[in-house]
């Protein structure tokens, strides 16, 4: 066995998957063989969620059944609403999401059943309820009354409705739907690998998704969409952008929303999200962040040959939609639950305990001295 250390598992293939792949021949991220940007063009998020979980796109009967189940499972238990009401108002919503999914695990009658059928039912319940839990906290922390989910609304419309009490125009809902499609799945990223690692000990789906949420929170992963917005707010206006980015590069700062472990010449999700960011900016009649976006991107590519990742356009898009910045990564969560669940089920179906080795560099063997001799 080789003693070579591959820090960060860089370049290591640890298992097989059928869920997604970045296909070099079409230079695109694909879910179950379909290009993500094509799914954005032809499908609603619910269809893509079904695809990721069930391995194929639904026909209209299958979609209707899936949507009905999703809608029927949206509401939370009285207990979970109460817990959310009592959470510290200053909690980060990612911690709220993590805690909410954990509580769902306490309440779910099938928590200890990891059969494929039970896992599919539990995945759907977590998928349906997590947006409700987040929206409830969104309202509660600003002293507003919780808005219960509405069955007549789509997944995306309902999230806007539960947060703001109204559904925006259809172009805004479409842009949100597109962001969810692009965020749904990305192979063995940190949070998915976390979920698979937890699953590999034959632990349950609620635990695996709770761990995945904690992992997604970090700024090097999903948390980057919030950091992008903090950066843009700091830059404030397009006239400051060039000076700001040159200064950041001079200081060797990590510029959030740029770079990727897999894509080295651009994240294939970015052009689609950039287009919808532009549409939202036009509707909102606010081009400030778009101009800042373009200036920073141009310098990063020219000076460092580092391209933006999907978190770069989603950050300012969510801001223009009216979401608080600390809700950007939780929106990533409500989408990625689909990808995590598919990987958890895949791990269960062909499990091998994930247990790598470490190269030890601590003390040589030493004898224990009794307390009075130390
Ligand atoms: C997501 O894995 C996935 O699929 C994730 C994701 C998904 O859908 O699940 O796509 C979602 O997590 C997107 C990534 C969001 N993170 C950020 O935007 C944070 C900023 N990005 C970087 O920290 C970085 O690019 C990573 C963490 C994304 C990738 O890290 P790697 O592969 O470990 O690469 P690295 O940090 O070692 O960088 C290699 C070089 C370094 O320079 P050198 O030391 O070799 O001279 O590139 C430089 C880095 O300094 N570099 C950057 C940079 N990203 C890389 N320099 C400045 N700004 C950056 N953003």
């Amino acid at each position: 066995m080789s003693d070579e250390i591959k820090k960060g598992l860089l370049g290591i293939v640890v298992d097989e998957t059928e869920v997604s792949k970045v296909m070099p021949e079409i230079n695109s991220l694909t879910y179950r063989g379909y290009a993500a940007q094509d799914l954005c063009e032809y499908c609603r998020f619910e269809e893509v969620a079904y695809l990721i979980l069930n391995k194929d796109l639904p026909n209209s009967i299958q979609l209707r059944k899936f949507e009905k189940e999703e809608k029927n499972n949206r509401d939370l238990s009285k207990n979970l609403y109460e817990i959310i009401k009592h959470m510290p108002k200053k909690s980060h919503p990612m911690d709220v999401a993590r805690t909410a999914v954990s509580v769902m695990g306490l309440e779910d009658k099938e928590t200890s059943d990891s059969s494929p059928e039970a896992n599919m039912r539990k995945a759907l319940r977590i998928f349906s309820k997590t947006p409700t839990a987040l929206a409830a906290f969104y309202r509660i922390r600003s002293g507003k009354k919780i808005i219960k989910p509405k069955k007549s609304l789509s997944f995306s419309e309902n999230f806007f409705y539960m947060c703001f009490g109204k559904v925006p125009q259809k172009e805004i809902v479409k842009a949100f739907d597109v962001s969810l499609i692009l965020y749904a799945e990305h192979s063995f990223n940190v949070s998915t690998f976390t979920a698979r690692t937890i699953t590999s000990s034959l632990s349950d789906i609620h635990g695996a998704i709770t761990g995945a949420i904690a992992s997604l929170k970090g700024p090097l992963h999903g948390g980057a969409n919030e950091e992008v917005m903090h950066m843009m707010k700091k830059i404030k206006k397009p006239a400051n952008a060039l000076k700001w980015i040159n200064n950041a590069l001079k200081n060797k700062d990590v510029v959030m929303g740029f770079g990727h472990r897999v894509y080295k010449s651009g994240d294939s999700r970015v052009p689609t999200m950039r287009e919808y960011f532009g549409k939202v900016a036009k509707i909102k009649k606010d081009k400030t962040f778009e101009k800042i976006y373009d200036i920073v991107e141009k310098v990063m590519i020219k000076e460092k040959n580092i391209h933006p990742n999907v978190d770069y356009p989603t950050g300012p898009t969510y801001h223009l939609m009216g979401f608080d910045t600390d809700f950007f990564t939780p929106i990533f969560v409500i989408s990625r639950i689909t990808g995590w669940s598919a990987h958890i089920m895949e791990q269960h179906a062909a499990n091998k305990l994930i247990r790598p080795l470490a190269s030890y560099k601590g003390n040589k063997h030493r004898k224990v001295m009794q307390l009075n001799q130390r």
Side-chain angles (χ1 to χ4, degrees), residues 186 189 219-222 224 253-261 264 269 300 304 306 309 311 332 336:
H186 212 246
N189 57 79
L220 293 188
H221 191 15
D253 291 342
V254 171
V255 182
M256 291 296 166
F258 284 85
H260 198 276
R261 177 62 69 83
K264 292 303 171 200
R269 298 164 292 184
M300 282 299 284
K304 302 270 291 181
I306 298 177
N309 58 58
D311 289 318
F332 193 158
R336 187 55 64 87

Side-chain angles (χ1 to χ4, degrees), residues 80 83-84 87-88 91-107 130 133-134 206 209-211 213-214:
L80 184 46
I83 289 172
I84 292 169
M87 282 175 179
S91 307
H92 193 287
M94 283 299 278
D95 300 337
V96 170
R98 168 171 58 69
T99 306
V101 172
S102 190
V103 173
M104 287 173 210
L106 304 178
E107 295 179 339
T130 305
L134 281 162
H206 286 88
I209 291 183
T210 300
I213 294 171

